[in-house]
Amino acid sequence: MAEIVLRDVEKFFGENYVIRKLNLTIQNKEFVVLLGPSGCGKTTTLRAIAGLEEIDRGDILIDGKAVQNLPAGDRDIAFVFQLFALYPHLTAYENIAFPLRATGESRSQIDGQVRAVAKAIQIEHLLSRRPSQLSGGDMQRIAIGRALVRRPKAMLMDEPIGALDAKLREEMRTELKRLHLENDSTTVYVTHDQVEAMSLADRIAIMNEGVLQQVGSPTEVYRHPANLFVAQFIGSPVMNVTKASVQTSGAVASVVVGEGDGSFGFPSELPQKMAAASHGQGDFMLGIRPEGVLVSRQQAPGYVPVEAHIIEPLGAYDIVDLKVGRQFIRARTASGYVGKPGETVYARLDESQTHFFHPATGESLNISFGGA
Amino acid sequence: MATAVMNRLDPRSRAAARGWSDLTIRNVFIIPTIVFLIVFNIFPLIYSLGYSFTDFSAASNEPVQFVGLQNYRDLLTDENIWSNFVITAKYVIVSVAGQMLVGFGLALLLNRSFAFKGLVTTLLLLPMMMSAAVVGLFWRLLYSPSWGPINYIFGLGDFAWLSDPDTALYAVAITDIWMWAPFVMLLSLAGLSAVPKHLYEAAAIDRAGSWYTFTRITLPLVSPLLMIALIFRTMEAFKTFDIAYIMSTQPTTELISIRLYKQAFQQWDTGKSCALAYIVLIMVLAITNMYVKYLNRAKER
């Protein structure tokens, strides 16, 4: 098992600057997920660690040793491909045994190791089948088995369950987590699915356009997104983001959303906090997750009347689009709480769940109120 | 019926304006081919089977007599015929093995990107597109002991490739290799480029060396196409006539098809040559069948 360090890694594809000065440390035994939209450079980063892609500048260190000039085979890492990359002419057994046979281990040793791995991933009954006779989930199990059998320093996985259907994906997610806990292997996992990232990762590294946006535990990136991109990429339904400004009248502060579309009361220390963040009175971007928008059917102090526009019943809860002037704010309510579209309800923003971002750079202003 | 899956005729087409139906158009395309096949292939095939049991000679007016299996019996006990078969077997093995090695080797070299790859590939394919008669005549010049460039380049003096009974057959085989290795190369290239790149990546990750990768991944995955090339080339080599006939008159290069030609058109022993043609046909079918069995096994994976 090993620690992986990326230091100022840069990569170009022709004119395309796909990895920009990436610095990231993956601790021993840690499960790190590289998360980002397609084309953000996450897969390229993973392939660079594996040695399937050369980097143009920077260092990749595995256990303190620079490996960027070593071929993939000498880095002692395993890779799980999105499309499994099983050898189609070999049986499941032979596929798992391949890395051992390639390095010329003894027959009996190979047999023992293959069977042990097959047991761990519960595919003992499939060992004599060829990939074409297996389901997608089983193929990926075999591919993971092939990666595990070598006891590599690290496991790299490139959207390993992205090609499976939704139900199987959930099942495999649990299994991957279990395998990680049992094997304690350093794992770097690439996905564009934030749910997958949240459920699997010890830490998530979010990338966009080749730039690392934020690294942190799932709770951290969810509760304290470093910028607008992270805020909107993590979480479903998506965080509400709207242009806003502060208004004070006497001791009462309020936040005006949009171009004066509506205003919500805020604790009076908001102006000081804004000043402390050296942002002054200017406009900013206000972010709030749907669960931070509190909805009441009755008039209550601090609540402002809004019109319910669209209601999406999702079973466990409803997502209600509230019309605030020309703006829409999505709120999460108990299932069936708002009767029908067009009703007038009352809403308040839970200040402890609000996020403030710079309107131009999108960086978080690091303003927070109590609670989280 | 097959017509059910055919697309309907475009109502604006000229054919529709002439009042042709889908069925008519299908027949217009298919019937000439079928007629051609029957007249030039199937009819002679059956007719010659009949002749093979007679003492018919196309050059004489004597009444044709049914001789039963006499022709076959004569041929299979004729030592000269057997020596023709041995020559043919030697020729097939040398020339097909050479073509497979050279063709697959070239394909491995070409299976990467380099400047002018398309041009190089096209040039390498040229021999295959030439007429066998022309190729034969040219190689005769190349092999010429007195002023042929081959002896000059390899410093072989006046070594007579084609009049030396021991080397003549191999000289012809080399020409055949030159001509048909590109065909194997073409099929191998198709096979090589169909091997998914991620398998090589997986093998690199799995610490497989280049030889291990080649024998355990490349070869097994290309083998169905190699097998197809092998089938085609073996069949063709077995039937070789033109190159050998043009290049050499040595008895050691008398392939079975040359023997057949002499029997049919020099000795005018038509009945017997029909029988010989059938023996050759059965042999080619048998060899091809063995290959096809292997091919199917390779394709199952």
Side-chain angles (χ1 to χ4, degrees):
Chain A
M1 293 299 119
E3 179 194 64
I4 301 170
V5 179
L6 304 181
R7 200 189 285 150
D8 289 330
V9 172
E10 287 180 87
K11 167 83 186 168
F12 292 84
F13 279 134
E15 292 285 289
N16 271 356
Y17 192 12
V18 288
I19 305 178
R20 309 184 183 200
K21 289 256 178 217
L22 184 72
N23 282 288
L24 179 64
T25 301
I26 296 134
Q27 311 285 348
N28 189 17
K29 298 181 182 179
E30 196 178 23
F31 198 122
V32 170
V33 173
L34 294 177
L35 177 68
S38 49
C40 72
K42 57 191 192 300
T43 295
T44 311
T45 307
L46 192 75
R47 290 170 58 86
I49 299 174
L52 298 174
E53 211 78 70
E54 282 180 20
I55 57 172
D56 293 307
R57 265 192 291 280
D59 298 302
I60 298 172
L61 296 97
I62 298 179
D63 271 346
K65 189 175 152 232
V67 297
Q68 65 268 22
N69 296 320
L70 290 182
D74 295 344
R75 298 190 187 190
D76 198 13
I77 34 76
F79 198 98
V80 178
F81 294 82
Q82 178 174 16
L83 295 172
F84 323 131
L86 292 176
Y87 308 119
H89 55 295
L90 302 178
T91 62
Y93 181 96
E94 291 166 323
N95 263 287
I96 297 176
F98 191 93
L100 303 177
R101 286 184 179 167
T103 49
E105 291 193 33
S106 80
R107 196 171 283 255
S108 59
Q109 214 172 355
I110 291 173
D111 192 62
Q113 279 171 278
V114 171
R115 297 204 181 274
V117 164
K119 196 169 173 188
I121 51 175
Q122 296 156 5
I123 47 124
E124 288 156 298
H125 56 294
L126 303 173
L127 281 177
S128 60
R129 303 226 194 135
R130 287 187 203 286
S132 56
Q133 301 163 313
L134 294 171
S135 68
D138 287 334
M139 281 202 260
Q140 198 53 286
R141 282 198 183 89
I142 309 286
I144 291 166
R146 183 175 67 183
L148 283 173
V149 77
R150 287 173 34 194
R151 312 196 169 281
K153 282 187 178 163
M155 294 268 281
L156 309 179
M157 303 194 189
D158 183 10
E159 309 216 18
I161 57 180
L164 309 179
D165 62 57
K167 192 167 167 290
L168 199 54
R169 211 150 57 212
E170 218 161 284
E171 215 178 289
M172 288 295 286
R173 212 162 67 200
T174 324
E175 195 155 328
L176 283 172
K177 187 107 185 172
R178 175 179 69 82
L179 282 171
H180 174 67
L181 294 176
E182 283 171 9
N183 288 287
D184 264 347
S185 46
T186 309
T187 307
V188 188
Y189 184 108
V190 159
T191 182
H192 63 263
D193 180 345
Q194 48 108 2
V195 179
E196 223 169 281
M198 298 286 279
S199 63
L200 285 169
D202 293 326
R203 282 194 305 153
I204 300 179
I206 297 143
M207 288 182 75
N208 187 34
E209 290 178 347
V211 180
L212 189 61
Q213 305 287 321
Q214 187 177 4
V215 188
S217 71
T219 349
E220 223 170 289
V221 293
Y222 188 81
R223 296 229 181 111
H224 306 291
N227 57 37
L228 266 177
F229 176 81
V230 175
Q232 293 196 287
F233 198 78
I234 299 269
S236 171
V238 174
M239 178 189 279
N240 295 297
V241 174
T242 166
K243 208 171 98 184
S245 55
V246 183
Q247 219 169 44
T248 40
S249 57
V252 187
S254 58
V255 164
V256 181
V257 300
E259 310 288 344
D261 287 307
S263 82
F264 294 93
F266 255 75
S268 52
E269 61 266 37
L270 180 59
Q272 291 97 1
K273 292 204 175 196
M274 296 288 279
S278 61
H279 189 66
Q281 294 292 313
D283 285 356
F284 56 88
M285 299 302 281
L286 177 75
I288 185 153
R289 296 196 187 279
E291 64 262 36
V293 181
L294 309 176
V295 177
S296 167
R297 277 185 298 215
Q298 280 89 40
Q299 177 69 280
Y303 282 70
V304 295
V306 289
E307 186 195 322
H309 190 65
I310 294 170
I311 302 171
E312 298 169 51
L314 296 179
Y317 53 86
D318 289 356
I319 297 297
V320 183
D321 276 28
L322 303 171
K323 201 167 176 188
V324 182
R326 280 156 298 169
Q327 302 272 325
F328 289 100
I329 293 184
R330 288 151 77 81
R332 180 172 155 169
T333 69
S335 184
Y337 185 76
V338 179
K340 57 177 187 298
E343 244 172 57
T344 298
V345 291
Y346 302 90
R348 185 172 85 79
L349 305 184
D350 175 5
E351 65 275 359
S352 70
Q353 294 188 54
T354 48
H355 305 272
F356 298 82
F357 301 100
H358 192 281
T361 63
E363 294 302 315
S364 171
L365 298 174
N366 292 317
I367 299 174
S368 60
F369 293 91
Chain B
M1 274 303 290
T3 45
V5 293
M6 286 175 74
N7 288 323
R8 295 239 53 91
L9 204 56
D10 184 345
R12 288 160 303 173
S13 69
R14 245 195 293 177
R18 284 184 192 165
W20 289 6
S21 71
D22 293 359
L23 211 61
T24 316
I25 291 175
R26 184 191 72 179
N27 292 343
V28 162
F29 277 106
I30 291 176
I31 287 176
T33 316
I34 292 179
V35 169
F36 185 89
L37 270 176
I38 290 173
V39 171
F40 290 98
N41 281 340
I42 297 170
F43 170 74
L45 193 73
I46 294 164
Y47 210 74
S48 65
L49 181 66
Y51 275 148
S52 74
F53 300 112
T54 67
D55 67 352
F56 172 65
S57 167
S60 82
N61 287 324
E62 278 170 44
V64 177
Q65 281 190 358
F66 182 77
V67 296
L69 291 171
Q70 188 60 42
N71 285 333
Y72 290 91
R73 213 172 296 140
D74 287 351
L75 285 167
L76 292 174
T77 51
D78 182 346
E79 272 179 33
N80 291 328
I81 294 288
W82 281 110
S83 92
N84 291 138
F85 273 121
V86 171
I87 290 168
T88 309
K90 253 197 249 173
Y91 175 79
V92 169
I93 290 168
V94 171
S95 123
V96 173
Q99 284 163 28
M100 297 297 289
L101 282 176
V102 174
F104 189 52
L106 283 175
L108 286 176
L109 289 177
L110 286 179
N111 190 33
R112 64 197 74 185
S113 50
F114 56 86
F116 305 114
K117 178 177 170 178
L119 182 68
V120 171
T121 312
T122 312
L123 286 176
L124 282 169
L125 289 176
L126 278 180
M128 194 172 95
M129 304 172 188
M130 293 181 192
S131 142
V134 175
V135 169
L137 287 171
F138 264 93
W139 275 81
R140 237 167 69 184
L141 298 178
L142 293 174
Y143 278 132
S144 162
S146 34
W147 37 270
I150 289 180
N151 281 2
Y152 178 75
I153 290 167
F154 293 104
L156 293 172
D158 56 358
F159 181 69
W161 287 87
L162 293 168
S163 29
D164 184 324
D166 293 329
T167 55
L169 185 70
Y170 301 108
V172 176
I174 287 170
T175 307
D176 199 46
I177 292 169
W178 176 82
M179 190 168 170
W180 288 108
F183 174 80
V184 180
M185 178 192 87
L186 201 61
L187 282 184
S188 310
L189 262 181
L192 286 173
S193 53
V195 178
K197 205 174 138 243
H198 58 244
L199 291 188
Y200 291 120
E201 290 182 344
I205 294 274
D206 287 343
R207 296 180 292 188
S210 50
W211 177 249
Y212 195 84
T213 308
F214 177 73
T215 53
R216 301 304 159 97
I217 296 187
T218 312
L219 263 188
L221 290 174
V222 182
S223 65
L225 271 169
L226 285 181
M227 202 52 113
I228 289 171
L230 188 67
I231 291 174
F232 272 101
R233 289 320 307 152
T234 308
M235 279 184 343
E236 292 277 308
F238 212 93
K239 300 187 302 183
T240 302
F241 173 80
D242 35 24
I243 296 189
Y245 191 76
I246 287 166
M247 288 181 71
S248 162
T249 49
Q250 292 293 323
T252 51
T253 61
E254 197 178 82
L255 298 171
I256 195 68
S257 52
I258 296 178
R259 168 84 251 146
L260 184 57
Y261 166 79
K262 286 181 177 166
Q263 201 151 54
F265 302 108
Q266 288 176 2
Q267 297 161 14
W268 294 105
D269 213 346
T270 315
K272 209 173 190 179
S273 54
C274 286
L276 182 54
Y278 261 88
I279 293 173
V280 173
L281 178 71
I282 288 164
M283 285 181 143
V284 172
L285 279 179
I287 294 170
T288 311
N289 251 319
M290 291 192 308
Y291 284 154
V292 168
K293 206 164 262 175
Y294 276 109
L295 174 67
N296 287 338
R297 202 176 303 164
K299 272 202 302 199
E300 258 171 41
R301 317 192 279 219

